[in-house]
C-alpha cells in the first residue's frame, strides 16, 4: 500500500514533524510512504529520505499557484497512492481536491489547528469538502480542536476520529557542556527553555517579561524562529536584558532533545494551542513544565506539570523560583513529565492511522 503525506510548507513545525514521523513509522511497518511539501519555507527536512518539495518557494502570484496546482496534480497522478494524508489547512484543501480529481480512494484530512485560525474562506471550503465526500475521513489531534468545529453540521463528523500527536522519546546524545558550547550558553545558570515558532499567540513576550523579576541566576532560552523574531529581539535590547535572554533561532530537529535535556525547566505561555507538541517534546525528556491554562494544556499536561493562567503573573514567578530551589520537587515533576509523555507514543498514533487506511 502506498501512502502520500502532504504538508503545506517545509519548516520546523508540529505538523511537519508529525508527517515525517508517521511516514517513517509506516515505512518500518512495510508501507511505501513519502512526505510531500507544497513549498519550501525552511530546509529543515531536505536531508531526509522519502521527502519531496513541490515548489521551491511560497507562490507569489497566480502563475505560481497554477504551476503548483498542476505539479501536484501531475505528481499525484503518476504516484497513484492508495491513501493521501493531509496536514495543515492549505494542504487539506489543495491536496484533498487534487487527490479526489485523480481518484485516490482514501483521503484523510487532519485538523491540527483550531478552526478560528483558518482563513474564513477556507473554513467554508473545508466544511463543504467534509460534507460532500472530498475528505473520506477526518482526524482531529485533540478534543480542543474538535470542539472548535462544533458549529459545523453534525454529518461533518461522520468518519472522524481524535488521534493525538505521538512521539518517540529521543534521549540526549550530546553532553550538556557540548550543548552550552555549541549555542554559547553559560554553564553556571539555571535555564528556562521554550521551543516553538516565535509568533504573537505563543506569547514569548510574557516569558521575557518574567526574567527581570526572577533571580539573576535564571536565564531564558528561546529555540525557534518566526514572524516575531525581530520584535522580540528588539524588545529585549530596549529593556537591557540581552545578557539573560538567548535566541537560538531554528534548531535542527535532532538537536531539540539535547537542548531540552540541558535545561532545567520548560515554560510555555501560548494563548491558544491545538495540541502543544513542543510541550510533549519537553515532557518526553523528563523536563518539568509550567504552561498557560488553556484547554490543550489540560489535555496534554494534565497533572504532570503546573498549569497557571498567564494573568497570574505573581504565581508564575513564585512557581519558577520554588521549583528551581527545590531539587526533590523538581525531580518529582521530572518523573511526572516523563510518565505523562508515555500516553502519547508514536506507535499508538500510527496504529490508529493504519486503521483508517482500510
Amino acid at each position: 500500500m502506498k501512502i502520500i503525506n502532504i504538508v503545506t510548507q517545509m519548516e520546523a513545525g508540529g505538523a511537519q514533524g508529525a508527517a515525517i514521523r508517521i511516514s517513517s513509522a509506516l515505512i518500518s511497518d512495510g508501507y511505501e510512504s513519502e512526505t510531500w511539501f507544497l513549498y519550501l519555507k525552511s530546509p529543515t527536512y531536505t536531508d531526509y529520505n522519502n521527502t519531496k518539495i513541490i515548489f521551491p518557494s511560497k507562490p507569489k502570484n497566480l502563475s505560481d499557484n497554477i504551476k503548483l496546482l498542476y505539479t501536484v496534480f501531475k505528481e499525484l497522478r503518476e504516484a497513484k497512492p492508495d491513501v493521501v494524508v493531509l496536514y495543515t489547512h492549505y494542504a487539506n484543501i489543495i491536496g484533498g481536491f487534487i487527490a479526489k480529481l485523480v481518484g485516490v480512494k482514501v483521503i484523510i484530512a487532519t485538523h491540527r489547528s483550531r478552526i478560528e485560525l483558518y482563513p474564513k474562506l477556507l473554513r467554508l471550503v473545508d466544511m463543504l469538502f467534509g460534507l460532500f465526500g472530498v475528505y473520506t475521513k477526518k482526524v482531529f489531534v485533540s478534543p480542543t480542536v474538535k470542539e472548535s468545529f462544533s458549529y459545523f453540521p453534525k454529518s461533518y463528523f461522520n468518519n472522524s476520529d481524535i488521534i493525538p500527536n505521538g512521539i518517540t522519546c529521543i534521549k540526549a546524545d550530546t553532553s550538556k557542556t557540548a550543548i552550552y558550547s555549541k549555542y554559547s550558553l553559560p554553564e553556571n545558570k539555571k535555564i528556562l527553555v521554550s521551543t516553538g515558532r516565535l509568533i504573537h499567540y505563543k506569547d514569548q513576550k510574557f516569558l521575557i517579561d518574567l526574567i527581570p523579576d526572577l533571580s539573576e541566576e535564571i536565564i531564558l532560552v528561546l529555540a525557534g524562529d518566526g514572524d516575531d523574531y525581530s520584535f522580540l529581539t528588539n524588545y529585549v535590547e530596549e529593556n537591557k536584558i540581552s545578557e539573560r535572554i538567548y535566541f537560538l533561532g531554528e534548531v535542527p530537529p535532532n538537536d531539540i532533545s539535547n537542548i531540552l535535556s540541558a535545561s532545567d525547566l520548560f515554560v510555555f505561555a501560548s494563548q491558544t494551542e491545538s495540541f502543544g507538541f513542543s510541550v510533549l517534546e519537553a515532557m518526553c525528556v523528563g523536563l518539568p513544565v509550567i504552561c498557560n491554562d488553556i484547554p490543550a494544556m489540560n489535555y496534554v499536561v494534565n497533572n504532570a506539570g503546573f498549569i497557571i493562567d498567564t494573568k497570574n503573573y505573581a504565581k508564575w514567578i513564585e512557581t519558577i523560583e520554588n521549583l528551581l530551589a527545590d531539587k526533590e520537587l523538581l525531580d518529582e515533576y521530572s518523573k511526572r513529565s516523563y510518565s505523562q509523555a508515555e500516553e502519547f507514543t508514536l506507535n499508538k498514533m500510527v496504529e490508529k492511522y493504519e486503521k483508517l487506511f482500510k
Side-chain angles (χ1 to χ4, degrees):
M1 182 178 284
K2 187 170 187 177
I3 319 295
I4 301 294
N5 303 276
I6 301 179
V7 194
T8 303
Q9 71 269 20
M10 179 184 285
E11 64 174 338
Q16 290 80 359
I20 291 289
R21 286 190 301 277
I22 289 173
S23 183
S24 178
L26 290 173
I27 291 170
S28 296
D29 286 348
Y31 293 88
E32 185 180 353
S33 181
E34 298 177 7
T35 303
W36 296 3
F37 297 92
L38 296 183
Y39 67 86
L40 175 68
K41 184 175 181 181
S42 174
T44 309
Y45 298 105
T46 50
D47 293 334
Y48 283 62
N49 294 328
N50 304 107
T51 61
K52 179 182 291 187
I53 298 167
I54 302 297
F55 205 73
S57 61
K58 185 176 181 178
K60 296 181 175 61
N61 50 46
L62 179 60
S63 175
D64 284 352
N65 279 290
I66 291 172
K67 289 177 183 177
L68 170 63
L69 292 172
Y70 176 72
T71 306
V72 175
F73 175 81
K74 184 178 70 172
E75 296 280 357
L76 267 183
R77 186 174 57 183
E78 292 177 358
K80 298 180 180 178
D82 301 287
V83 179
V84 166
V85 185
L86 308 163
Y87 305 74
T88 63
H89 44 272
Y90 282 109
N92 285 350
I93 301 302
I94 294 171
F97 176 70
I98 296 175
K100 196 71 175 179
L101 277 182
V102 301
V104 178
K105 300 298 182 185
V106 180
I107 303 170
I108 304 171
T110 73
H111 293 297
R112 298 171 177 275
S113 299
R114 293 173 59 86
I115 189 63
E116 60 265 25
L117 296 179
Y118 290 29
K120 288 183 179 179
L121 178 59
L122 263 63
R123 299 177 204 178
L124 174 60
V125 176
D126 185 274
M127 180 190 295
L128 294 174
F129 277 18
L131 292 174
F132 294 104
V134 175
Y135 307 146
T136 60
K137 297 175 183 179
K138 282 87 67 180
V139 168
F140 302 93
V141 298
S142 71
T144 301
V145 174
K146 185 174 182 179
E147 184 181 348
S148 74
F149 284 73
S150 60
Y151 68 91
F152 277 27
K154 288 184 179 179
S155 58
Y156 180 89
F157 300 96
N158 295 339
N159 298 312
S160 71
D161 199 1
I162 295 173
I163 303 179
N165 284 319
I167 189 171
T168 297
C169 292
I170 302 172
K171 293 183 178 180
D173 58 9
T174 306
S175 69
K176 287 187 177 183
T177 300
I179 287 296
Y180 295 149
S181 175
K182 181 175 182 177
Y183 291 99
S184 302
L185 301 175
E187 294 191 45
N188 59 342
K189 299 291 185 180
K190 293 183 177 179
I191 298 177
L192 305 182
V193 65
S194 192
T195 61
R197 284 181 299 156
L198 304 182
I199 192 167
H200 66 281
Y201 70 81
K202 299 281 187 182
D203 206 1
Q204 286 94 358
K205 179 180 177 295
F206 173 83
L207 301 177
I208 291 169
D209 285 339
L210 293 171
I211 293 300
D213 291 325
L214 291 167
S215 304
E216 291 187 4
E217 63 178 350
I218 299 172
I219 64 171
L220 173 65
V221 171
L222 297 173
D225 200 355
D227 295 341
D228 273 13
Y229 180 84
S230 295
F231 163 73
L232 292 171
T233 52
N234 289 335
Y235 183 76
V236 165
E237 289 179 7
E238 289 169 4
N239 285 275
K240 300 182 178 6
I241 50 173
S242 299
E243 74 282 358
R244 297 182 65 188
I245 312 291
Y246 291 77
F247 292 92
L248 305 190
E250 185 172 305
V251 173
N254 292 338
D255 228 4
I256 287 292
S257 61
N258 292 320
I259 290 168
L260 293 170
S261 296
S263 303
D264 297 286
L265 185 61
F266 188 85
V267 286
F268 197 67
S270 186
Q271 299 301 306
T272 180
E273 286 292 323
S274 305
F275 182 82
F277 187 77
S278 296
V279 180
L280 182 57
E281 284 183 316
M283 295 167 67
C284 209
V285 301
L287 197 57
V289 169
I290 303 177
C291 57
N292 189 23
D293 188 0
I294 55 176
M297 293 299 94
N298 284 279
Y299 175 63
V300 175
V301 178
N302 201 352
N303 64 355
F306 293 86
I307 300 175
I308 307 169
D309 196 313
T310 50
K311 293 176 183 176
N312 196 342
Y313 181 88
K315 188 66 175 177
W316 273 75
I317 296 292
E318 178 188 354
T319 305
I320 291 170
E321 294 280 14
N322 288 345
L323 259 178
L324 294 179
D326 189 335
K327 187 178 185 308
E328 288 188 7
L329 187 61
L330 206 61
D331 288 345
E332 177 189 338
Y333 276 89
S334 174
K335 293 174 183 175
R336 288 194 187 192
S337 276
Y338 189 79
S339 177
Q340 179 68 1
E342 292 181 334
E343 296 297 315
F344 302 96
T345 67
L346 180 62
N347 286 341
K348 288 180 180 178
M349 175 176 67
V350 172
E351 285 174 4
K352 290 180 179 179
Y353 272 96
E354 289 176 346
K355 292 177 181 177
L356 300 181
F357 299 164
K358 299 173 183 177

